[in-house]
Structures are given as structure tokens and as C-alpha cells.
Amino acid sequence: MIKRQLFFSLSILCFMWCSCNNKAAKDSTNSRTEKQGLNFNDKNELKKSIGSLEDSLMREIPKDRKTEARINLRRIDLMNRMEAFVQKFPKDVYAGDCWFKLHLMASAMKAHRKSVAYGDSLLVNFPGHPKRILILESMVSAYDIFLTPRDEVKIKFYLSQLIKEKGYPEEQKKELEKRMKYIHLTFDEYVQLQARPLAKLLMSC
């Protein structure tokens, strides 16, 4: 009985502590937003702030660890702004560009699971996006090379999407079809398989 009462008391305390922490975190976020002077509900203002931060980051050069750390924080801020845009204005054309950039940035940060999630969001919400082929190629690479364990179903899916693309070169489609045939091999194993005929040719010379 005492144990049950103690457990109940601890549960109430934990709930109150979490509630206070969540409120503090929310207040902190609101405070930061107010300090930055950003209105996340204003589409044009948010879009302009994303562009300005992008331009500023392109001029940044990581001279030392301190500078690099600051740049990384600003990149995260940029990604947060882009995420805010796609959530608040999901049908706006600019949201497609945000999904694309989020995909590339997450990939560069080696956050590959997040990267493919962004890529999927772009493909689902903006199937006719100008960067569609580039995203599909990136998705194939992520699932075939970087993500473990390898998901052969996903690799086949994105390979087949590329093969169906009308503007994709026929020669490259043949290469993708060959990759599909040896999908059971890892990327490294497939590269070794491709290199065998060349190795035999060199040995015969």
C-alpha cells in the first residue's frame, strides 16, 4: 500500500516537472522568435528570412572550431525556418524548394534517415518538381549505400521510378536495370562485379 502511494506521488511529481519544463521550453522558443523579430505566420516574411540566412551562410567561412560551431547552429536555424515554412504553407511552390534543400542539408550532415524523409515529402507533395530526378538518384544512393540494414524493397522502388522517368537517358536506364538484377549484392560487391571484366582484360595484356 505504501509502495503504491509512493509510486502515485512520484508520478504526480514527474507530471508536474515535465509540464513546467515543457512550458519553460515553449516560453524560451517564443522568446527567441520574438528576439529575432520573425513572424512565422507571415509567408513573405518567413520566406525572406530564409533567403537572407541562406545568403549569409554562403559567405561564412569556418576558420576555426568556434566559427564552425556557430555556422552549424545557424544551419540548424535555417532548417528550422524551412520546416516551419513547409508545415505552415505546404502547398506553396516555395515549400517544394524547402523540402529539396532540407534533403540536401540533412544528407550533407549524414542524417540520412531524416534526409530520405525530406525527399519522400518532396516527391509526395510535389511529384512534378524540377529536381525530381536528382532526388530519386539521391534516394537510391541513400538506401543502397548509406542506410543500414539495406532495404532492397526501397532500393527497387526508387530504381524503378528512375527507369520510368521519361527524361532519363536510356543508357543510364540500362545501367539501373542491371543494378536491379544484382540487387542482392551490396553496392561495394556490385562495384567489384563490374570491375572483374576490366581486371581480366588488364591481366591478358
mmCIF file of all heavy atoms in Angstrom, residues 95-131:
data_model
loop_
_atom_site.group_PDB
_atom_site.id
_atom_site.type_symbol
_atom_site.label_atom_id
_atom_site.label_comp_id
_atom_site.label_asym_id
_atom_site.label_seq_id
_atom_site.Cartn_x
_atom_site.Cartn_y
_atom_site.Cartn_z
ATOM 1 N N ALA A 95 7.586 25.779 -50.890
ATOM 2 C CA ALA A 95 7.702 24.650 -49.954
ATOM 3 C C ALA A 95 8.455 23.493 -50.608
ATOM 4 O O ALA A 95 9.228 22.788 -49.949
ATOM 5 C CB ALA A 95 6.319 24.197 -49.495
ATOM 6 N N GLY A 96 8.239 23.308 -51.912
ATOM 7 C CA GLY A 96 8.966 22.262 -52.646
ATOM 8 C C GLY A 96 10.457 22.509 -52.632
ATOM 9 O O GLY A 96 11.252 21.588 -52.441
ATOM 10 N N ASP A 97 10.852 23.773 -52.821
ATOM 11 C CA ASP A 97 12.278 24.130 -52.785
ATOM 12 C C ASP A 97 12.849 23.905 -51.384
ATOM 13 O O ASP A 97 14.002 23.486 -51.238
ATOM 14 C CB ASP A 97 12.464 25.596 -53.189
ATOM 15 C CG ASP A 97 12.059 25.850 -54.636
ATOM 16 O OD1 ASP A 97 12.083 24.884 -55.431
ATOM 17 O OD2 ASP A 97 11.711 26.996 -54.965
ATOM 18 N N CYS A 98 12.040 24.187 -50.366
ATOM 19 C CA CYS A 98 12.478 23.964 -48.976
ATOM 20 C C CYS A 98 12.701 22.477 -48.712
ATOM 21 O O CYS A 98 13.701 22.096 -48.107
ATOM 22 C CB CYS A 98 11.445 24.523 -47.995
ATOM 23 S SG CYS A 98 11.434 26.319 -47.886
ATOM 24 N N TRP A 99 11.775 21.630 -49.170
ATOM 25 C CA TRP A 99 11.947 20.180 -49.000
ATOM 26 C C TRP A 99 13.238 19.718 -49.670
ATOM 27 O O TRP A 99 13.985 18.910 -49.104
ATOM 28 C CB TRP A 99 10.763 19.417 -49.614
ATOM 29 C CG TRP A 99 9.492 19.393 -48.829
ATOM 30 C CD1 TRP A 99 8.243 19.752 -49.282
ATOM 31 C CD2 TRP A 99 9.306 18.983 -47.475
ATOM 32 N NE1 TRP A 99 7.315 19.597 -48.289
ATOM 33 C CE2 TRP A 99 7.934 19.118 -47.167
ATOM 34 C CE3 TRP A 99 10.174 18.506 -46.493
ATOM 35 C CZ2 TRP A 99 7.403 18.803 -45.919
ATOM 36 C CZ3 TRP A 99 9.659 18.191 -45.236
ATOM 37 C CH2 TRP A 99 8.289 18.332 -44.958
ATOM 38 N N PHE A 100 13.502 20.231 -50.869
ATOM 39 C CA PHE A 100 14.697 19.853 -51.611
ATOM 40 C C PHE A 100 15.962 20.247 -50.848
ATOM 41 O O PHE A 100 16.890 19.442 -50.688
ATOM 42 C CB PHE A 100 14.689 20.521 -52.996
ATOM 43 C CG PHE A 100 15.930 20.267 -53.803
ATOM 44 C CD1 PHE A 100 16.198 19.005 -54.317
ATOM 45 C CD2 PHE A 100 16.844 21.288 -54.038
ATOM 46 C CE1 PHE A 100 17.347 18.762 -55.057
ATOM 47 C CE2 PHE A 100 17.995 21.055 -54.768
ATOM 48 C CZ PHE A 100 18.251 19.795 -55.281
ATOM 49 N N LYS A 101 16.002 21.479 -50.365
ATOM 50 C CA LYS A 101 17.172 21.952 -49.631
ATOM 51 C C LYS A 101 17.340 21.234 -48.293
ATOM 52 O O LYS A 101 18.462 20.934 -47.875
ATOM 53 C CB LYS A 101 17.073 23.466 -49.416
ATOM 54 C CG LYS A 101 17.259 24.255 -50.711
ATOM 55 C CD LYS A 101 16.948 25.730 -50.535
ATOM 56 C CE LYS A 101 17.042 26.481 -51.857
ATOM 57 N NZ LYS A 101 16.666 27.899 -51.735
ATOM 58 N N LEU A 102 16.235 20.940 -47.634
ATOM 59 C CA LEU A 102 16.287 20.185 -46.379
ATOM 60 C C LEU A 102 16.879 18.802 -46.618
ATOM 61 O O LEU A 102 17.686 18.309 -45.823
ATOM 62 C CB LEU A 102 14.882 20.060 -45.772
ATOM 63 C CG LEU A 102 14.337 21.295 -45.063
ATOM 64 C CD1 LEU A 102 12.829 21.158 -44.830
ATOM 65 C CD2 LEU A 102 15.053 21.529 -43.735
ATOM 66 N N HIS A 103 16.474 18.187 -47.733
ATOM 67 C CA HIS A 103 17.007 16.867 -48.108
ATOM 68 C C HIS A 103 18.525 16.921 -48.286
ATOM 69 O O HIS A 103 19.256 16.088 -47.741
ATOM 70 C CB HIS A 103 16.342 16.396 -49.400
ATOM 71 C CG HIS A 103 16.965 15.178 -50.004
ATOM 72 N ND1 HIS A 103 16.713 13.903 -49.547
ATOM 73 C CD2 HIS A 103 17.866 15.043 -51.027
ATOM 74 C CE1 HIS A 103 17.421 13.033 -50.253
ATOM 75 N NE2 HIS A 103 18.120 13.704 -51.153
ATOM 76 N N LEU A 104 19.000 17.915 -49.023
ATOM 77 C CA LEU A 104 20.437 18.045 -49.281
ATOM 78 C C LEU A 104 21.219 18.361 -48.006
ATOM 79 O O LEU A 104 22.293 17.798 -47.772
ATOM 80 C CB LEU A 104 20.687 19.150 -50.320
ATOM 81 C CG LEU A 104 20.178 18.905 -51.743
ATOM 82 C CD1 LEU A 104 20.572 20.067 -52.633
ATOM 83 C CD2 LEU A 104 20.717 17.603 -52.323
ATOM 84 N N MET A 105 20.674 19.243 -47.186
ATOM 85 C CA MET A 105 21.362 19.636 -45.957
ATOM 86 C C MET A 105 21.454 18.480 -44.967
ATOM 87 O O MET A 105 22.505 18.255 -44.359
ATOM 88 C CB MET A 105 20.638 20.827 -45.309
ATOM 89 C CG MET A 105 20.804 22.130 -46.086
ATOM 90 S SD MET A 105 19.769 23.477 -45.471
ATOM 91 C CE MET A 105 20.690 23.922 -44.005
ATOM 92 N N ALA A 106 20.387 17.726 -44.836
ATOM 93 C CA ALA A 106 20.400 16.569 -43.935
ATOM 94 C C ALA A 106 21.378 15.509 -44.432
ATOM 95 O O ALA A 106 22.097 14.895 -43.651
ATOM 96 C CB ALA A 106 18.996 15.980 -43.813
ATOM 97 N N SER A 107 21.432 15.332 -45.742
ATOM 98 C CA SER A 107 22.363 14.370 -46.337
ATOM 99 C C SER A 107 23.809 14.796 -46.086
ATOM 100 O O SER A 107 24.658 13.978 -45.742
ATOM 101 C CB SER A 107 22.102 14.257 -47.841
ATOM 102 O OG SER A 107 22.964 13.319 -48.434
ATOM 103 N N ALA A 108 24.087 16.097 -46.239
ATOM 104 C CA ALA A 108 25.436 16.624 -46.005
ATOM 105 C C ALA A 108 25.851 16.455 -44.544
ATOM 106 O O ALA A 108 27.029 16.271 -44.240
ATOM 107 C CB ALA A 108 25.491 18.092 -46.389
ATOM 108 N N MET A 109 24.856 16.494 -43.651
ATOM 109 C CA MET A 109 25.113 16.316 -42.215
ATOM 110 C C MET A 109 25.142 14.835 -41.826
ATOM 111 O O MET A 109 25.245 14.497 -40.657
ATOM 112 C CB MET A 109 24.042 17.052 -41.411
ATOM 113 C CG MET A 109 24.094 18.562 -41.562
ATOM 114 S SD MET A 109 22.585 19.392 -40.964
ATOM 115 C CE MET A 109 22.804 19.184 -39.191
ATOM 116 N N LYS A 110 24.997 13.954 -42.840
ATOM 117 C CA LYS A 110 24.984 12.495 -42.643
ATOM 118 C C LYS A 110 23.781 12.014 -41.829
ATOM 119 O O LYS A 110 23.821 10.935 -41.241
ATOM 120 C CB LYS A 110 26.300 12.005 -42.026
ATOM 121 C CG LYS A 110 27.512 12.272 -42.917
ATOM 122 C CD LYS A 110 28.788 11.741 -42.311
ATOM 123 C CE LYS A 110 29.988 12.039 -43.208
ATOM 124 N NZ LYS A 110 31.244 11.551 -42.639
ATOM 125 N N ALA A 111 22.735 12.832 -41.817
ATOM 126 C CA ALA A 111 21.480 12.428 -41.170
ATOM 127 C C ALA A 111 20.603 11.813 -42.259
ATOM 128 O O ALA A 111 19.615 12.399 -42.713
ATOM 129 C CB ALA A 111 20.803 13.636 -40.548
ATOM 130 N N HIS A 112 20.999 10.610 -42.709
ATOM 131 C CA HIS A 112 20.407 10.024 -43.910
ATOM 132 C C HIS A 112 18.945 9.620 -43.746
ATOM 133 O O HIS A 112 18.163 9.708 -44.699
ATOM 134 C CB HIS A 112 21.243 8.837 -44.375
ATOM 135 C CG HIS A 112 22.634 9.218 -44.773
ATOM 136 N ND1 HIS A 112 22.892 10.044 -45.846
ATOM 137 C CD2 HIS A 112 23.850 8.934 -44.217
ATOM 138 C CE1 HIS A 112 24.196 10.229 -45.952
ATOM 139 N NE2 HIS A 112 24.791 9.577 -44.977
ATOM 140 N N ARG A 113 18.550 9.182 -42.562
ATOM 141 C CA ARG A 113 17.144 8.817 -42.354
ATOM 142 C C ARG A 113 16.248 10.049 -42.451
ATOM 143 O O ARG A 113 15.155 10.003 -43.009
ATOM 144 C CB ARG A 113 16.944 8.124 -41.005
ATOM 145 C CG ARG A 113 17.624 6.779 -40.926
ATOM 146 C CD ARG A 113 16.814 5.709 -40.241
ATOM 147 N NE ARG A 113 17.482 4.417 -40.356
ATOM 148 C CZ ARG A 113 17.237 3.529 -41.273
ATOM 149 N NH1 ARG A 113 16.323 3.769 -42.187
ATOM 150 N NH2 ARG A 113 17.888 2.379 -41.307
ATOM 151 N N LYS A 114 16.728 11.147 -41.899
ATOM 152 C CA LYS A 114 15.982 12.392 -41.991
ATOM 153 C C LYS A 114 15.980 12.880 -43.439
ATOM 154 O O LYS A 114 14.977 13.414 -43.927
ATOM 155 C CB LYS A 114 16.612 13.440 -41.077
ATOM 156 C CG LYS A 114 15.649 14.505 -40.616
ATOM 157 C CD LYS A 114 16.165 15.254 -39.428
ATOM 158 C CE LYS A 114 15.082 16.201 -38.898
ATOM 159 N NZ LYS A 114 15.522 16.939 -37.706
ATOM 160 N N SER A 115 17.109 12.689 -44.109
ATOM 161 C CA SER A 115 17.238 13.122 -45.497
ATOM 162 C C SER A 115 16.216 12.427 -46.400
ATOM 163 O O SER A 115 15.559 13.083 -47.218
ATOM 164 C CB SER A 115 18.664 12.831 -45.994
ATOM 165 O OG SER A 115 18.783 13.153 -47.355
ATOM 166 N N VAL A 116 16.079 11.104 -46.261
ATOM 167 C CA VAL A 116 15.119 10.386 -47.110
ATOM 168 C C VAL A 116 13.676 10.752 -46.754
ATOM 169 O O VAL A 116 12.796 10.733 -47.624
ATOM 170 C CB VAL A 116 15.327 8.850 -47.046
ATOM 171 C CG1 VAL A 116 16.656 8.461 -47.646
ATOM 172 C CG2 VAL A 116 15.181 8.299 -45.645
ATOM 173 N N ALA A 117 13.443 11.105 -45.496
ATOM 174 C CA ALA A 117 12.098 11.546 -45.098
ATOM 175 C C ALA A 117 11.751 12.858 -45.799
ATOM 176 O O ALA A 117 10.636 13.037 -46.299
ATOM 177 C CB ALA A 117 12.030 11.715 -43.581
ATOM 178 N N TYR A 118 12.729 13.774 -45.855
ATOM 179 C CA TYR A 118 12.521 15.037 -46.579
ATOM 180 C C TYR A 118 12.310 14.772 -48.070
ATOM 181 O O TYR A 118 11.456 15.382 -48.711
ATOM 182 C CB TYR A 118 13.725 15.955 -46.406
ATOM 183 C CG TYR A 118 13.904 16.537 -45.017
ATOM 184 C CD1 TYR A 118 15.169 16.615 -44.434
ATOM 185 C CD2 TYR A 118 12.815 17.029 -44.294
ATOM 186 C CE1 TYR A 118 15.348 17.165 -43.165
ATOM 187 C CE2 TYR A 118 12.987 17.569 -43.025
ATOM 188 C CZ TYR A 118 14.255 17.642 -42.464
ATOM 189 O OH TYR A 118 14.431 18.189 -41.221
ATOM 190 N N GLY A 119 13.118 13.854 -48.613
ATOM 191 C CA GLY A 119 12.998 13.509 -50.031
ATOM 192 C C GLY A 119 11.632 12.941 -50.365
ATOM 193 O O GLY A 119 11.025 13.311 -51.380
ATOM 194 N N ASP A 120 11.147 12.060 -49.512
ATOM 195 C CA ASP A 120 9.818 11.478 -49.710
ATOM 196 C C ASP A 120 8.738 12.554 -49.674
ATOM 197 O O ASP A 120 7.786 12.528 -50.464
ATOM 198 C CB ASP A 120 9.521 10.425 -48.634
ATOM 199 C CG ASP A 120 9.965 9.034 -49.067
ATOM 200 O OD1 ASP A 120 9.929 8.750 -50.284
ATOM 201 O OD2 ASP A 120 10.337 8.222 -48.201
ATOM 202 N N SER A 121 8.887 13.480 -48.738
ATOM 203 C CA SER A 121 7.900 14.571 -48.617
ATOM 204 C C SER A 121 7.841 15.393 -49.898
ATOM 205 O O SER A 121 6.760 15.785 -50.353
ATOM 206 C CB SER A 121 8.254 15.477 -47.431
ATOM 207 O OG SER A 121 8.140 14.772 -46.213
ATOM 208 N N LEU A 122 9.006 15.652 -50.479
ATOM 209 C CA LEU A 122 9.048 16.402 -51.739
ATOM 210 C C LEU A 122 8.364 15.618 -52.858
ATOM 211 O O LEU A 122 7.525 16.160 -53.592
ATOM 212 C CB LEU A 122 10.496 16.707 -52.131
ATOM 213 C CG LEU A 122 10.721 17.324 -53.518
ATOM 214 C CD1 LEU A 122 9.990 18.662 -53.638
ATOM 215 C CD2 LEU A 122 12.185 17.508 -53.816
ATOM 216 N N LEU A 123 8.696 14.328 -52.980
ATOM 217 C CA LEU A 123 8.152 13.505 -54.061
ATOM 218 C C LEU A 123 6.645 13.321 -53.944
ATOM 219 O O LEU A 123 5.936 13.263 -54.952
ATOM 220 C CB LEU A 123 8.849 12.140 -54.077
ATOM 221 C CG LEU A 123 10.341 12.161 -54.438
ATOM 222 C CD1 LEU A 123 10.975 10.804 -54.173
ATOM 223 C CD2 LEU A 123 10.544 12.583 -55.883
ATOM 224 N N VAL A 124 6.147 13.228 -52.711
ATOM 225 C CA VAL A 124 4.711 13.041 -52.487
ATOM 226 C C VAL A 124 3.941 14.336 -52.724
ATOM 227 O O VAL A 124 2.908 14.351 -53.398
ATOM 228 C CB VAL A 124 4.443 12.510 -51.050
ATOM 229 C CG1 VAL A 124 2.947 12.562 -50.723
ATOM 230 C CG2 VAL A 124 4.960 11.092 -50.903
ATOM 231 N N ASN A 125 4.459 15.438 -52.171
ATOM 232 C CA ASN A 125 3.737 16.712 -52.237
ATOM 233 C C ASN A 125 3.962 17.486 -53.542
ATOM 234 O O ASN A 125 3.103 18.272 -53.945
ATOM 235 C CB ASN A 125 4.135 17.591 -51.050
ATOM 236 C CG ASN A 125 3.647 17.021 -49.732
ATOM 237 O OD1 ASN A 125 2.452 16.970 -49.471
ATOM 238 N ND2 ASN A 125 4.567 16.566 -48.899
ATOM 239 N N PHE A 126 5.133 17.254 -54.165
ATOM 240 C CA PHE A 126 5.447 17.960 -55.419
ATOM 241 C C PHE A 126 6.024 16.960 -56.425
ATOM 242 O O PHE A 126 7.214 17.012 -56.755
ATOM 243 C CB PHE A 126 6.437 19.098 -55.162
ATOM 244 C CG PHE A 126 5.908 20.170 -54.249
ATOM 245 C CD1 PHE A 126 6.097 20.090 -52.881
ATOM 246 C CD2 PHE A 126 5.201 21.252 -54.762
ATOM 247 C CE1 PHE A 126 5.590 21.063 -52.029
ATOM 248 C CE2 PHE A 126 4.692 22.232 -53.929
ATOM 249 C CZ PHE A 126 4.885 22.135 -52.548
ATOM 250 N N PRO A 127 5.183 16.027 -56.914
ATOM 251 C CA PRO A 127 5.667 14.976 -57.823
ATOM 252 C C PRO A 127 6.287 15.494 -59.118
ATOM 253 O O PRO A 127 7.090 14.819 -59.740
ATOM 254 C CB PRO A 127 4.411 14.135 -58.109
ATOM 255 C CG PRO A 127 3.258 15.029 -57.778
ATOM 256 C CD PRO A 127 3.732 15.927 -56.679
ATOM 257 N N GLY A 128 5.918 16.711 -59.529
ATOM 258 C CA GLY A 128 6.462 17.269 -60.768
ATOM 259 C C GLY A 128 7.570 18.272 -60.540
ATOM 260 O O GLY A 128 7.869 19.072 -61.430
ATOM 261 N N HIS A 129 8.198 18.230 -59.374
ATOM 262 C CA HIS A 129 9.247 19.202 -59.047
ATOM 263 C C HIS A 129 10.421 19.088 -60.027
ATOM 264 O O HIS A 129 10.801 17.977 -60.420
ATOM 265 C CB HIS A 129 9.759 18.974 -57.620
ATOM 266 C CG HIS A 129 10.574 20.097 -57.073
ATOM 267 N ND1 HIS A 129 11.939 20.185 -57.266
ATOM 268 C CD2 HIS A 129 10.224 21.205 -56.361
ATOM 269 C CE1 HIS A 129 12.388 21.283 -56.686
ATOM 270 N NE2 HIS A 129 11.374 21.916 -56.127
ATOM 271 N N PRO A 130 11.004 20.229 -60.432
ATOM 272 C CA PRO A 130 12.119 20.213 -61.397
ATOM 273 C C PRO A 130 13.320 19.369 -60.962
ATOM 274 O O PRO A 130 14.065 18.876 -61.807
ATOM 275 C CB PRO A 130 12.521 21.690 -61.494
ATOM 276 C CG PRO A 130 11.315 22.445 -61.081
ATOM 277 C CD PRO A 130 10.621 21.604 -60.069
ATOM 278 N N LYS A 131 13.500 19.202 -59.652
ATOM 279 C CA LYS A 131 14.644 18.438 -59.141
ATOM 280 C C LYS A 131 14.266 16.979 -58.824
ATOM 281 O O LYS A 131 14.980 16.291 -58.108
ATOM 282 C CB LYS A 131 15.201 19.098 -57.879
ATOM 283 C CG LYS A 131 15.733 20.513 -58.080
ATOM 284 C CD LYS A 131 17.001 20.522 -58.910
ATOM 285 C CE LYS A 131 17.733 21.858 -58.830
ATOM 286 N NZ LYS A 131 16.952 22.977 -59.376
#
